[in-house]
Amino acid sequence: NNKGKKTLRSVNLDTEEKVVRGCVEKCNNLPWSYNPKSIVHKYGGAGNNWAMGHDMCSGEFLEDSLNAIRIQLEYCDIPAGLFISHSVGGGTGSGFGTHLTESLYDEFNDVARINFAVTPYHFGEVIVQHYNSLLCLSKISSTSDAIILFENEVASSICKSMKGIKSPSLYDINQTIASNIV
């Protein structure tokens, strides 16, 4: 408990501080919070490049990330699984998502690893998004116990047809994907 709030058993990782800090700030008025030790970031981003995300997220950043995961696993009597949620179109989600999944396979082989992978729009803004996606999915398929794909295109379509949202925002699409994960 953190000031009367429940603490999430979640680890947030990114190569840009603003992303993970934004998650923390958004829960200020909610009945739960994040453990500060479960927020890990590295400055710089991965430039929408799988190789940059994979290679730059080694060393200290990878070790800090694995330590944050270890801390959360210590709270579990018998860990049932690790759920890795990431995008596969950009550099961090695809490259670091791959490297992290491979490292979790090496480090925690007795714990199930399930990747919730979000694929980019078919005609997205990142020119190499399809290469990033292929590299990521081909690598994590051998080190993950399951991969559940969520397509931004389909989530947007669900928002329009089932929820009646004419122009779904990124928040609407993320809410749709999150409700499907739950």
Side-chain angles (χ1 to χ4, degrees):
N1 252 344
N2 180 12
K3 298 179 185 174
K5 291 184 168 190
K6 296 191 183 293
T7 303
L8 290 177
R9 187 162 305 157
S10 169
V11 176
N12 293 340
L13 313 168
D14 205 309
T15 56
E16 296 184 50
E17 180 183 17
K18 70 178 181 177
V19 175
V20 291
R21 292 291 170 215
C23 291
V24 172
E25 289 170 8
K26 285 182 182 177
C27 71
N28 283 340
N29 298 325
L30 298 172
W32 46 267
S33 64
Y34 292 102
N35 178 342
K37 293 180 181 177
S38 69
I39 310 278
V40 182
H41 57 84
K42 179 177 182 165
Y43 297 100
N48 292 318
N49 184 303
W50 180 89
M52 267 183 80
H54 191 274
D55 294 341
M56 77 177 279
C57 298
S58 56
E60 185 180 344
F61 181 63
L62 179 62
E63 202 49 48
D64 288 347
S65 300
L66 291 172
N67 283 335
I69 293 167
R70 280 186 201 100
I71 289 169
Q72 293 303 318
L73 287 175
E74 287 174 4
Y75 290 115
C76 303
D77 292 331
I78 302 171
L82 295 167
F83 301 99
I84 305 109
S85 176
H86 58 105
S87 155
V88 298
T92 301
S94 67
F96 181 57
T98 299
H99 200 156
L100 181 65
T101 302
E102 292 169 329
S103 297
L104 292 172
Y105 175 80
D106 293 339
E107 186 94 13
F108 308 107
N109 200 346
D110 57 336
V111 178
R113 292 156 316 283
I114 299 171
N115 289 69
F116 294 104
V118 180
T119 63
Y121 283 99
H122 300 188
F123 300 102
E125 58 190 44
V126 178
I127 192 115
V128 293
Q129 69 185 19
H130 300 298
Y131 297 114
N132 291 340
S133 298
L134 285 171
L135 288 165
C136 177
L137 294 172
S138 68
K139 293 287 231 169
I140 66 173
S141 66
S142 62
T143 56
S144 183
D145 294 301
I147 301 170
I148 300 172
L149 292 177
F150 292 97
E151 296 179 74
N152 273 330
E153 212 86 43
V154 172
S156 179
S157 192
I158 289 171
C159 286
K160 290 175 185 175
S161 64
M162 296 178 79
K163 295 184 175 184
I165 303 170
K166 291 181 183 175
S167 296
S169 66
L170 187 56
Y171 177 83
D172 297 324
I173 292 167
N174 285 339
Q175 286 297 106
T176 301
I177 292 171
S179 67
N180 279 285
I181 290 174
V182 173

